Amino acid sequence: MSLPATTRAIAVYPDHPGAVHRTEIPVPQVGPTGVLVQTIRVGVCGTDREIIHGALGTSPPGSRELVIGHEVLGRVVAVGDQVHDLLAGDLVSATVRRPDGCPACVAGQPDMCIAGDYEERGIVRQHGFMTEYWVEDRAWIVPVPKHLESTGVLIEPLTVVEKAVRQVDLIQERMAWWQPSTVVVLGAGPIGILGTLLLRARGIDVTTVARTPQPNPAASIVEQAGATYVSSREVSLDALRNQRGNIDIVLECSGASTLAFEGMHLLGANGVLVLLSLTDAGRMLEVDAGRINTGIVAGNKTVVGSVNAGHEDFAQAVDDLGRFESLWPGLLNRMFTERLAFDDDVTSIARKDARGIKTLIEFDQTR
Amino acid sequence: MSLPATTRAIAVYPDHPGAVHRTEIPVPQVGPTGVLVQTIRVGVCGTDREIIHGALGTSPPGSRELVIGHEVLGRVVAVGDQVHDLLAGDLVSATVRRPDGCPACVAGQPDMCIAGDYEERGIVRQHGFMTEYWVEDRAWIVPVPKHLESTGVLIEPLTVVEKAVRQVDLIQERMAWWQPSTVVVLGAGPIGILGTLLLRARGIDVTTVARTPQPNPAASIVEQAGATYVSSREVSLDALRNQRGNIDIVLECSGASTLAFEGMHLLGANGVLVLLSLTDAGRMLEVDAGRINTGIVAGNKTVVGSVNAGHEDFAQAVDDLGRFESLWPGLLNRMFTERLAFDDDVTSIARKDARGIKTLIEFDQTR
């Protein structure tokens, strides 16, 4: 096939937030280490909605618009001269963040960037993947095995919890004894569900807490994976704390900043609370500073924030998606509660569907 | 010398808090692995004051009173048959916490006890060291070299920051790049001063923040060690944050729970905030939950609580006290702003002297 010169895409105007529009952008040249990819599908996440509504998002230099989308599965179309480990037709995804020159980035951990001048595809100064074709350097391409064709679009959101759980593992190497057996996941959106599955796959007792009472699709998925779903409208977190004994890990993926502080209360001795939600400033909350502080001190507890993910998290997510599929066949596909074609009315992605879990934009593979 | 049958001590009645009294208690038998120690001096700390005022403290079973004191330097009087590495006259200190049967304790980390049924000398169900003679098992005895005779009473408070800094080191092994260069210590009591010295001894830029404007004895000590002393009445923490660049470590040793939350704001990307103050519940505070949460998440920050200390911290504290004395001769002795004899009116230790740093109870060595 001849390589496309332009590609259709879904973009926002960061200076005029509130809506998405269709656009057409040039397809970059494929350099010696480049990979040209045709998109199969892209997942929509909370960050995309925040970009649409103007809470974050920066256009590439010289552009008024920003193509969104950072959860992608695609197929290799062509590779540069120096790329010898990918063939046309191979499935791939890509990491999101590109390093700046800070020492953490130079040391290979752009997800731990200390300077903050990184770029992110679909978020900060680089177009995203909600486009028919895109080019990326081999360094940021994640090969995806063929058996993950239906679920591989979940690799990027899964990396968020892979990094979170890896941080817990690394931090707790400080303990002579650490056998986490009880986890609470706050939130049952895609990140909460994937966090639940990751910890269930380790055999840990997981309680997943979200507002919506049962029955609902998220509750059904986490319970099929052996977790307990609890509606916070029916059981208070204090009651949960008393029921569950020492809670070793809390993953905060609700998107509600107040739950970061509830999580500090909930966490047991020697436990780790991982905060994963980027939230807006200005949400004021009255806390019992004395109780939270002394609980953390006397319990040797840790609270850690985690954003983005590293290469090892992408590799681990590829492995774990396969494990999830073996453990719970068909379960991941139930997360895809809406599929839109590129030519459908995609303006609806600006709204969060209270009943849905993950919206996908499906790209026409015959074009 | 003949072994003493009883020993004079300073104790509280936990059921009738508010004051200390002198008492006389039996000296336990020295078993095969026991060590009988004559006290040289005991330090008074905030925990002792909280015990005196009834916020914590539990008597040994069968006793109405609790002998206080857990910062001790003493001299070996006699050892049991199976103790071959200590001689009469050797200087010693002792650890504070005794394990219960929980897996963390069994694994050798009673400071990480998960069950909470530990005992602590001078605090929980075991008499403390504010007594002329005491007996302890060799397992909990810390040998102290002779050159630390004047400063060794600081070993126990130094272990608190040794553990804190060790937790930072262990937690940050997760980073490919971590070179802490900027630290803020909140509080300039004994723990804040010792934390300042420990990090200054590593060559790190330290700013020590406390309320009292200069000149004051604590400010003078930390500045002589090359730290910068800042009064929070003169410089806000927000201003400090803007001046100091990325703050890698914050040690919260102020005793004020609200500063735990200020510390979360203050901390820079990839930084670690260590909380060290045990505080009373009920101190309500309005926080910007959204800002604190997203700061922790986007900056991959860690907040860790630390209480008590392990054997390795005692060994490290012995080493570091010697280093401090080499780096800053005579400086540690300036922390001892009050020395009381056992026969003095010791009821004053219930009050915090706003100008003083560390009160010592000196025991008569000629008795």
Side-chain angles (χ1 to χ4, degrees):
Chain A
M1 70 177 283
S2 64
L3 301 190
T6 63
T7 180
R8 298 195 302 161
I10 296 171
V12 298
Y13 297 113
D15 291 339
H16 296 86
V20 296
H21 63 274
R22 279 197 199 78
T23 188
E24 187 142 359
I25 59 169
V27 176
Q29 294 291 313
V30 181
T33 60
V35 181
L36 174 67
V37 180
Q38 182 176 18
T39 304
I40 297 172
R41 63 183 64 88
V42 176
V44 179
C45 88
T47 300
D48 296 309
R49 289 190 195 93
E50 288 175 36
I51 295 169
I52 294 168
H53 294 298
L56 61 162
T58 315
S59 299
S63 170
R64 287 174 54 233
E65 59 187 3
L66 170 71
V67 174
I68 61 173
H70 55 272
E71 303 177 356
V72 68
L73 183 76
R75 204 181 304 276
V76 173
V77 175
V79 298
D81 295 345
Q82 296 174 22
V83 179
H84 303 299
D85 61 348
L86 288 174
L87 296 171
D90 283 354
L91 297 180
V92 291
S93 185
T95 69
V96 178
R97 189 176 284 188
R98 306 291 167 259
D100 58 28
C102 88
C105 283
V106 169
Q109 289 187 328
D111 60 309
M112 294 293 191
C113 178
I114 197 165
D117 294 326
Y118 56 79
E119 300 183 339
E120 289 182 336
R121 289 207 65 155
I123 307 172
V124 183
R125 293 197 301 278
Q126 290 203 17
H127 285 316
F129 304 118
M130 219 176 267
T131 171
E132 295 167 309
Y133 294 93
W134 45 275
V135 171
E136 187 50 273
D137 195 88
R138 174 65 187 90
W140 313 115
I141 291 285
V142 178
V144 177
K146 293 231 181 298
H147 67 272
L148 297 184
E149 179 159 355
S150 73
T151 59
V153 72
L154 290 173
I155 289 169
E156 196 281 337
L158 180 55
T159 63
V160 173
V161 286
E162 293 284 4
K163 176 173 169 182
V165 172
R166 184 166 57 84
Q167 297 305 308
V168 174
D169 290 342
L170 289 168
I171 286 171
Q172 296 296 82
E173 283 182 15
R174 71 202 176 101
M175 311 295 294
W177 184 84
W178 169 245
Q179 289 180 18
S181 61
T182 304
V183 171
V184 171
V185 175
L186 299 174
I191 301 296
I193 292 172
L194 292 169
T196 300
L197 300 188
L198 182 56
L199 292 158
R200 281 300 305 141
R202 290 192 182 189
I204 298 176
D205 176 33
V206 180
T207 302
T208 307
V209 182
R211 257 187 307 227
T212 318
Q214 299 199 56
N216 67 65
S220 161
I221 292 171
V222 302
E223 295 228 316
Q224 191 171 327
T228 303
Y229 180 91
V230 167
S231 164
S232 58
R233 291 186 190 157
E234 295 168 351
V235 179
S236 75
L237 292 183
D238 270 346
L240 195 66
R241 187 175 197 262
N242 294 334
Q243 285 168 17
R244 286 294 183 277
N246 198 76
I247 297 171
D248 300 306
I249 302 172
V250 177
L251 296 187
E252 199 302 293
C253 347
S254 71
S257 57
T258 56
L259 285 191
F261 298 85
E262 297 270 9
M264 294 177 197
H265 278 305
L266 197 59
L267 192 65
N270 297 355
V272 183
L273 162 64
V274 190
L275 303 180
L276 293 168
S277 304
L278 290 166
T279 54
D280 294 338
R283 175 68 175 89
M284 303 309 291
L285 176 73
E286 188 173 52
V287 298
D288 185 338
R291 182 182 164 204
I292 291 179
N293 174 69
T294 220
I296 294 174
V297 174
N300 290 290
K301 301 179 193 178
T302 305
V303 180
V304 61
S306 177
V307 71
N308 199 258
H311 264 300
E312 59 220 290
D313 301 310
F314 277 83
Q316 192 64 48
V318 166
D319 282 358
D320 282 331
L321 273 190
R323 288 174 66 213
F324 295 173
E325 196 57 30
S326 305
L327 286 167
W328 308 293
L331 190 63
L332 290 168
N333 275 281
R334 287 172 50 202
M335 292 178 64
F336 305 132
T337 46
E338 184 180 32
R339 291 177 194 263
L340 299 173
F342 181 85
D343 288 312
D344 286 346
D345 173 13
V346 292
T347 58
S348 64
I349 66 174
R351 294 190 302 273
K352 175 150 174 56
D353 173 3
R355 303 287 302 173
I357 298 170
K358 177 62 77 184
T359 293
L360 300 178
I361 312 284
E362 298 279 348
F363 285 75
D364 183 353
Q365 301 299 295
T366 62
R367 277 174 58 96
Chain B
M1 70 179 281
S2 64
L3 300 190
T6 63
T7 179
R8 298 196 303 161
I10 296 172
V12 300
Y13 298 114
D15 291 340
H16 295 87
V20 296
H21 63 274
R22 279 198 198 76
T23 189
E24 186 141 358
I25 58 169
V27 176
Q29 293 292 312
V30 181
T33 59
V35 181
L36 173 67
V37 181
Q38 182 176 18
T39 303
I40 298 173
R41 63 183 63 87
V42 176
V44 179
C45 87
T47 299
D48 296 309
R49 289 190 195 93
E50 288 175 38
I51 295 169
I52 295 168
H53 294 297
L56 60 162
T58 314
S59 299
S63 170
R64 287 174 55 234
E65 58 187 1
L66 170 71
V67 173
I68 61 173
H70 55 274
E71 304 177 357
V72 69
L73 183 75
R75 205 181 305 276
V76 173
V77 175
V79 299
D81 293 344
Q82 295 174 23
V83 178
H84 303 300
D85 60 348
L86 287 175
L87 296 172
D90 284 354
L91 297 180
V92 292
S93 184
T95 68
V96 178
R97 189 177 283 187
R98 305 292 168 258
D100 58 29
C102 88
C105 284
V106 170
Q109 290 187 329
D111 60 310
M112 295 293 191
C113 177
I114 198 165
D117 294 325
Y118 55 79
E119 301 183 338
E120 288 180 338
R121 288 207 68 155
I123 307 172
V124 182
R125 294 199 300 278
Q126 291 204 16
H127 285 315
F129 303 117
M130 219 175 266
T131 170
E132 294 168 309
Y133 293 93
W134 45 274
V135 171
E136 186 50 272
D137 195 88
R138 174 64 187 91
W140 314 114
I141 291 285
V142 177
V144 177
K146 294 231 182 296
H147 67 271
L148 297 184
E149 179 159 356
S150 73
T151 59
V153 71
L154 290 173
I155 288 170
E156 196 281 337
L158 179 56
T159 63
V160 173
V161 287
E162 293 285 2
K163 175 173 170 182
V165 171
R166 183 166 58 85
Q167 297 305 307
V168 174
D169 290 342
L170 289 168
I171 286 170
Q172 295 298 80
E173 283 182 15
R174 70 202 179 101
M175 311 296 292
W177 183 85
W178 169 247
Q179 290 180 17
S181 60
T182 305
V183 171
V184 171
V185 175
L186 299 174
I191 301 295
I193 292 172
L194 291 170
T196 299
L197 299 188
L198 182 57
L199 291 157
R200 282 299 305 143
R202 288 192 183 191
I204 299 176
D205 176 33
V206 180
T207 302
T208 307
V209 182
R211 259 186 306 225
T212 318
Q214 299 199 56
N216 65 67
S220 160
I221 292 171
V222 302
E223 296 227 318
Q224 192 173 326
T228 303
Y229 180 92
V230 167
S231 164
S232 58
R233 292 187 189 156
E234 296 168 349
V235 179
S236 75
L237 292 183
D238 270 345
L240 195 65
R241 187 176 197 263
N242 295 333
Q243 285 167 17
R244 286 294 184 277
N246 198 77
I247 296 171
D248 301 308
I249 302 172
V250 177
L251 296 188
E252 201 300 293
C253 348
S254 71
S257 58
T258 57
L259 285 190
F261 297 86
E262 298 271 9
M264 295 177 196
H265 278 305
L266 196 60
L267 192 65
N270 296 355
V272 183
L273 162 64
V274 190
L275 303 181
L276 293 168
S277 304
L278 290 165
T279 54
D280 293 339
R283 175 67 175 90
M284 303 309 290
L285 176 73
E286 189 172 51
V287 298
D288 184 339
R291 183 181 163 206
I292 291 179
N293 175 68
T294 221
I296 294 173
V297 174
N300 290 291
K301 301 178 193 178
T302 305
V303 180
V304 61
S306 178
V307 70
N308 199 257
H311 263 301
E312 60 220 292
D313 302 310
F314 278 83
Q316 191 64 48
V318 167
D319 281 357
D320 282 331
L321 272 191
R323 289 176 64 213
F324 295 175
E325 197 57 30
S326 304
L327 286 166
W328 309 293
L331 191 62
L332 290 169
N333 274 283
R334 289 173 48 203
M335 291 179 65
F336 305 133
T337 47
E338 184 180 33
R339 291 178 194 261
L340 299 172
F342 180 86
D343 287 311
D344 285 345
D345 173 15
V346 294
T347 58
S348 65
I349 66 174
R351 295 190 301 273
K352 176 152 174 52
D353 172 4
R355 303 287 302 174
I357 298 171
K358 177 63 75 185
T359 293
L360 301 178
I361 312 285
E362 298 279 348
F363 285 75
D364 183 352
Q365 301 299 295
T366 62
R367 277 174 62 93

